[in-house]
Amino acid sequence: MTKAVHYLYNKIRFIYLFVIISVFAHSVNPQIYTHENGTILIISSYNPDTHNITQNISEFMDEYKRLGGNSPVVIENLNCKSLPEAPLWKSRMFKLLRKYSGNNQPKAVVILGQEGWASYLSQDKDLLQDVPVICGMVSRNFVILPDSNTNLAHWAPKSYDLESFDKIKHHVGGLVYSYDIKKNVDLIFKLYPKTKHIALITDNSYGGIALQALVKKEIADNVVDLIELDGRKYDIYQINDIIKDLPSQTVLLLGSWRVDKNDSYYIGNATHAMKAIRPELPAFSLTSIGLGYWAIGGCIPRYHPEGKELARKVIKILSGDKGQYITDVPNIYNFDAEQLKVFGINNDMLPKDSVFTNIDESIFLKYKYEILSITILILAIFIILILIFLARTNKLKNKLLGLQRDNELILNNIQTSLAFINPDYTIKWKNNISVSCENPQYGVEHCPLSDSPITPFCDKCSLKKVINEHKKIEKISKFSDCYVHLTYIPIFDDENKFLGVVLKKEDVTKEKKIENELRRAKEKAEGADKLKTAFLANMSHEIRTPLNAIVGFSNLMATAIDDNERKEYAKIINSSNEHLLQLINDILDIAKIEAGTLNFIDSPTDLNSLLSEIELSSQLKSTNDIEIAFTEKLPQCIIMIDRIRLSQVITNLVNNAIKFTEKGYIHFGYQHEGQELYFFVKDTGFGIARGKKEKIFERFVKLNDFVPGTGLGLSICQMIIKKMNGVIGVNTEEGKGSTFWFRLPDSIIIRRNE
């Protein structure tokens, strides 16, 4: 009864959709419907699977409207029927495309059904030019339509693949079925390795001949003998006779069967009759035909309504999406559980992720109402017992609540937080001051003091330790910004049986802060003493080195006779003087910056002029054969900054690059990036080792002790840039060079041209 009602409902719904779409189609057919935004043209094949086309058109129109499509949808029918009239379809399609060419050209064309799709692909001339053409309910493989003088009964067309077809246009796409012949043949031989013959059943339709051509193409080199049960040559009775006489070790491969050579249409009863002839022959399906009552199974497309997906493709294409248009409908292995039992096939022999139909209902599904009734009865009895239990315990509960209120009144009026925790980690009682975990290792929910604790608890949980070891623990822990004195006291009864733990909490934040301040003051004093010692040690070494050179070479110069020798000594003494003066200046700069007495006097500064001066002076200083160039800049950029300090930073970075670059180039400049000015000095020098990169801006850090320098320059640069509200850093690779950079906010710019 239920199946009959469901069938009647589907038939009424189908008739309703068919009438609505037919009325709409005929309302626009007498004359071409034009619209300023263009139209969406749907060309329907109206093959025997009319119901599916009607459903897809309905879903397409609903989804297209929902996604914001505002172009009118025009529906045209090719009225394709059986294969004998196939030569006429091409001319019908040509007339239809010509009708919508030129000024009447649509924005997009949607072709539904194999017959209409083949009619489009068989055209000799592209009347639509660059109009997107979307297909649905079609196969990836197709055959070109024959001429009118072709003998269709003996017609053996070539099977083409959509993507390899040389006439296909770049604007063609849609959803296509990929019938995997190889997987089905492999499945047959896996389950029936002794198979010698495969009998392919196809009908007198375009889909039948296209499928037959594909099968012949795919198994052309296979050792199996292909027997063609072709609906173009035989009617249903002749097919049955052939099936009756099929040799042993033959497997049936079901392709399609709706129309025979007499143009007689059949529904499921025809294939049921075929099965009855030789029920012992195993049958497999390419297209889902016979599944559920005849075919064992097969690798078939996952058929589903395509209207919504086609609407989404049209919307994407019209919005300028240049992605992949053609989408393959995925295939699945579908098997009939009943047929597997009949032929004794074990599920272990089947591919993974296979789908099954006609599965036996489990005992729970078969007797679901009886099981549900028993379950409800048991629950009702259980609820009655619970209610009786609650009534008996309610009196005791009221007495206990009275005692609890008295205890809470006392506990909530003392300054110390108290809680009693049972051995099972439940809180028996506590006052209003919350009790929380010290430092949850796995998260708050794993704390035994949380509302709904879950295991495992923290490995170092003090409460867990007291409950396990029954020993008192007392300590001070930090909770956010507070310090709390925690005391865990194990409690025993008169028989020395462990009852639980009393947790006491006292706020000692004030005392702890005083203790921490005293400790920090001590650590600061000790740190200052260490810094002073390190500073004096470094200064002793750095000052002694140039002084020794000055004293030593002064004595040598006094006794030297040769003028060239005296000049060389004088040059060394002068270099040592400059080194000593630079060291003293660096020390004074650091002292001023740390003391906050180093003044920054901002003034309008022309960056191009400043960096050009640095370029010239650096070229004069360099003795190596390297290129020093001011390479990147804005046409004009004037900023408000301390010119001397900015020049000091850039000069220091360039001088460092000169020291560590023997060949190649040193380029420096600036850029305006976002809301910052980006300055850089890039060289092709030695680079910086990975382990020294993080320490390069620390004081007295030198990459090479044999290269002159104090090791204070980069530290001073960093301090100056920070005073200017900027950041400084380095990108480097050992052996390939370094790029020192710093960024300043562009709020200092007062005039620029980009």
Side-chain angles (χ1 to χ4, degrees):
M1 183 63 181
T2 303
K3 292 184 177 180
V5 173
H6 183 67
Y7 175 79
L8 181 60
Y9 168 79
N10 285 335
K11 294 298 289 184
I12 294 173
R13 182 174 178 268
F14 163 72
I15 295 171
Y16 170 76
L17 292 174
F18 179 79
V19 170
I20 292 297
I21 295 174
S22 298
V23 170
F24 183 84
H26 286 98
S27 67
V28 296
N29 276 341
Q31 56 181 357
I32 297 175
Y33 189 97
T34 59
H35 191 272
E36 57 182 0
N37 294 327
T39 60
I40 305 299
L41 175 60
I42 297 179
I43 301 177
S44 168
S45 299
Y46 273 147
N47 60 6
D49 199 12
T50 309
H51 168 68
N52 288 338
I53 288 187
T54 306
Q55 181 182 6
N56 279 302
I57 292 176
S58 177
E59 290 188 0
F60 176 90
M61 295 172 69
D62 291 341
E63 184 72 3
Y64 178 71
K65 183 177 180 181
R66 188 187 70 80
L67 295 175
N70 57 3
S71 298
V73 178
V74 179
I75 304 172
E76 293 281 1
N77 305 328
L78 283 180
N79 294 317
C80 300
K81 296 180 181 178
S82 59
L83 187 62
E85 64 171 22
L88 303 176
W89 300 343
K90 180 178 178 181
S91 60
R92 290 182 195 170
M93 177 62 76
F94 178 79
K95 293 177 182 178
L96 189 58
L97 297 179
R98 185 173 58 185
K99 176 181 176 182
Y100 288 93
S101 61
N103 295 332
N104 299 320
Q105 197 172 72
K107 295 172 64 175
V109 176
V110 179
I111 301 177
L112 298 178
Q114 297 245 73
E115 292 79 3
W117 184 235
S119 301
Y120 170 74
L121 295 176
S122 300
Q123 295 298 313
D124 300 321
K125 183 179 180 182
D126 185 10
L127 297 178
L128 296 179
Q129 297 180 358
D130 293 330
V131 176
V133 178
I134 308 302
C135 63
M137 301 174 61
V138 303
S139 170
R140 168 177 286 279
N141 300 93
F142 62 95
V143 297
I144 298 299
L145 295 180
D147 296 330
S148 57
N149 56 357
T150 301
N151 185 345
L152 296 181
H154 301 283
W155 178 41
K158 177 182 178 181
S159 178
Y160 292 94
D161 184 89
L162 187 59
E163 289 191 350
S164 61
F165 189 51
D166 55 0
K167 293 185 179 180
I168 203 71
K169 305 298 186 296
H170 68 280
H171 53 276
V172 169
L175 298 172
V176 297
Y177 303 133
S178 296
Y179 295 107
D180 200 324
I181 308 303
K182 184 178 184 305
K183 285 187 177 180
N184 279 284
V185 173
D186 291 344
L187 178 65
I188 290 172
F189 277 101
K190 181 178 181 181
L191 300 180
Y192 294 94
K194 295 182 179 180
T195 300
K196 294 183 179 180
H197 314 278
I198 292 180
L200 173 66
I201 298 178
T202 55
D203 65 353
N204 188 23
S205 67
Y206 174 83
I209 186 61
L211 196 59
Q212 183 189 85
L214 175 61
V215 172
K216 292 168 68 176
K217 173 184 175 181
E218 292 294 321
I219 66 174
D221 299 329
N222 205 305
V223 295
V224 69
D225 174 37
L226 181 63
I227 302 173
E228 300 176 20
L229 305 185
D230 192 344
R232 297 177 299 162
K233 302 176 182 179
Y234 310 111
D235 59 22
I236 182 65
Y237 305 105
Q238 292 171 320
I239 292 288
N240 288 341
D241 291 338
I242 296 174
I243 293 176
K244 182 179 179 181
D245 296 330
L246 285 174
S248 60
Q249 297 180 337
T250 298
V251 173
L252 291 170
L253 189 58
L254 311 182
S256 61
W257 188 262
R258 290 192 184 93
V259 189
D260 65 7
K261 74 171 186 176
N262 299 323
D263 285 348
S264 299
Y265 284 87
Y266 297 92
I267 53 177
N269 60 340
T271 48
H272 280 281
M274 292 181 186
K275 175 190 175 183
I277 301 299
R278 294 282 296 277
E280 78 281 2
L281 288 181
F284 292 83
S285 179
L286 292 173
T287 61
S288 79
I289 182 175
L291 275 175
Y293 58 91
W294 184 8
I296 294 173
C299 181
I300 64 174
R302 190 186 295 271
Y303 296 107
H304 64 283
E306 302 174 3
K308 292 183 178 180
E309 294 182 59
L310 295 176
R312 289 192 285 269
K313 280 186 175 290
V314 169
I315 290 293
K316 281 187 177 182
I317 293 172
L318 295 182
S319 62
D321 189 348
K322 302 299 183 183
Q324 178 66 34
Y325 290 173
I326 298 176
T327 303
D328 287 292
V329 175
N331 290 337
I332 58 171
Y333 282 100
N334 197 328
F335 294 95
D336 186 331
E338 289 293 333
Q339 293 298 315
L340 292 174
K341 289 182 180 179
V342 170
F343 287 93
I345 298 175
N346 194 306
N347 288 358
D348 295 338
M349 302 175 64
L350 305 180
K352 294 181 179 179
D353 302 324
S354 295
V355 177
F356 298 91
T357 57
N358 287 339
I359 300 176
D360 287 340
E361 291 184 345
S362 65
I363 188 171
F364 296 101
L365 292 176
K366 190 173 183 179
Y367 300 102
K368 59 182 177 181
Y369 297 110
E370 292 82 354
I371 294 174
L372 181 61
S373 300
I374 295 173
T375 303
I376 293 174
L377 179 60
I378 294 173
L379 287 176
I381 296 172
F382 180 75
I383 291 173
I384 292 173
L385 294 175
I386 291 293
L387 291 175
I388 295 172
F389 174 78
L390 291 176
R392 295 182 62 183
T393 58
N394 191 46
K395 293 180 181 180
L396 294 175
K397 177 183 177 182
N398 291 334
K399 292 181 181 180
L400 292 174
L401 286 176
L403 294 174
Q404 183 178 353
R405 283 193 293 269
D406 295 338
N407 290 333
E408 288 179 352
L409 183 64
I410 297 171
L411 293 173
N412 291 334
N413 284 279
I414 62 175
Q415 296 181 352
T416 303
S417 171
L418 290 172
F420 187 89
I421 298 97
N422 292 318
D424 61 356
Y425 297 97
T426 58
I427 299 176
K428 188 172 184 178
W429 52 258
K430 65 178 180 178
N431 58 3
N432 284 337
I433 301 177
S434 62
V435 180
S436 58
C437 183
E438 307 164 34
N439 187 17
Q441 178 181 4
Y442 304 115
V444 177
E445 65 274 8
H446 291 271
C447 174
L449 299 178
S450 62
D451 293 335
S452 300
I454 59 176
T455 56
F457 299 144
C458 303
D459 297 335
K460 298 182 180 179
C461 177
S462 300
L463 177 60
K464 184 173 71 173
K465 186 174 182 180
V466 173
I467 290 177
N468 292 335
E469 299 180 3
H470 301 169
K471 294 182 180 180
K472 179 181 177 181
I473 293 179
E474 189 173 0
K475 62 182 180 179
I476 296 176
S477 297
K478 186 176 182 181
F479 292 77
S480 300
D481 296 330
C482 300
Y483 289 90
V484 179
H485 181 228
L486 296 166
T487 305
Y488 299 86
I489 305 172
I491 304 298
F492 302 89
D493 62 8
D494 295 338
E495 299 178 357
N496 202 31
K497 181 181 178 181
F498 179 66
L499 300 178
V501 177
V502 171
L503 171 59
K504 183 176 70 172
K505 294 203 314 179
E506 294 179 276
D507 190 349
V508 293
T509 303
K510 185 176 180 180
E511 295 83 352
K512 194 65 178 178
K513 284 185 176 179
I514 295 173
E515 178 186 341
N516 290 339
E517 289 175 0
L518 291 174
R519 185 174 65 254
R520 284 194 293 269
K522 178 184 176 183
E523 292 173 351
K524 185 176 181 181
E526 292 175 348
D529 184 61
K530 291 180 181 179
L531 287 174
K532 181 185 72 174
T533 302
F535 179 78
L536 291 175
N538 281 310
M539 285 299 95
S540 174
H541 171 74
E542 294 295 338
I543 293 175
R544 187 184 297 115
T545 300
L547 283 177
N548 287 339
I550 292 171
V551 173
F553 284 102
S554 295
N555 293 333
L556 291 175
M557 187 174 67
T559 59
I561 300 175
D562 183 59
D563 288 341
N564 291 332
E565 187 177 359
R566 290 169 64 87
K567 288 180 181 179
E568 183 65 25
Y569 292 157
K571 182 178 178 181
I572 295 173
I573 293 170
N574 184 52
S575 175
S576 298
N577 284 333
E578 291 179 355
H579 179 67
L580 183 61
L581 178 61
Q582 182 64 43
L583 177 62
I584 294 172
N585 287 335
D586 289 346
I587 294 171
L588 291 176
D589 283 344
I590 290 177
K592 288 180 180 180
I593 292 173
E594 289 186 340
T597 59
L598 183 64
N599 296 325
F600 286 77
I601 303 174
D602 294 342
S603 62
T605 301
D606 188 334
L607 276 182
N608 292 344
S609 175
L610 174 62
L611 269 66
S612 295
E613 294 174 5
I614 295 174
E615 177 187 33
L616 181 60
S617 62
S618 299
Q619 290 172 346
L620 295 174
K621 289 180 183 179
S622 175
T623 59
N624 296 333
D625 185 18
I626 56 176
E627 175 194 356
I628 302 177
F630 170 29
T631 58
E632 293 191 36
K633 59 185 177 181
L634 301 178
Q636 182 185 28
C637 186
I638 299 177
I639 61 175
M640 182 63 71
I641 203 168
D642 189 323
R643 178 186 176 94
I644 295 176
R645 297 305 170 191
L646 180 61
S647 176
Q648 180 181 356
V649 172
I650 298 175
T651 301
N652 200 339
L653 296 179
V654 174
N655 288 342
N656 279 349
I658 293 174
K659 294 176 186 178
F660 294 96
T661 304
E662 294 182 349
K663 61 181 179 178
Y665 63 83
I666 298 173
H667 291 169
F668 62 94
Y670 68 96
Q671 302 170 353
H672 187 200
E673 296 182 351
Q675 298 181 345
E676 295 178 322
L677 278 175
Y678 171 76
F679 295 82
F680 67 91
V681 176
K682 182 177 182 180
D683 64 63
T684 57
F686 304 135
I688 303 172
R690 182 177 298 180
K692 296 184 178 180
K693 177 182 175 182
E694 303 301 327
K695 299 181 179 180
I696 195 66
F697 291 101
E698 295 180 6
R699 298 177 188 176
F700 301 109
V701 173
K702 297 175 66 177
L703 298 179
N704 190 339
D705 293 333
F706 298 100
V707 177
T710 63
L712 295 172
L714 289 178
S715 179
I716 294 172
C717 289
Q718 186 183 50
M719 299 171 78
I720 291 174
I721 293 301
K722 285 185 177 179
K723 287 288 184 180
M724 294 179 173
N725 298 320
V727 292
I728 189 170
V730 61
N731 301 326
T732 182
E733 185 174 353
E734 189 173 8
K736 293 186 178 181
S738 305
T739 300
F740 282 84
W741 54 266
F742 61 90
R743 298 178 183 272
L744 298 175
D746 65 357
S747 57
I748 62 177
I749 299 175
I750 58 178
R751 187 166 67 250
R752 73 175 187 271
N753 290 326
E754 296 190 8

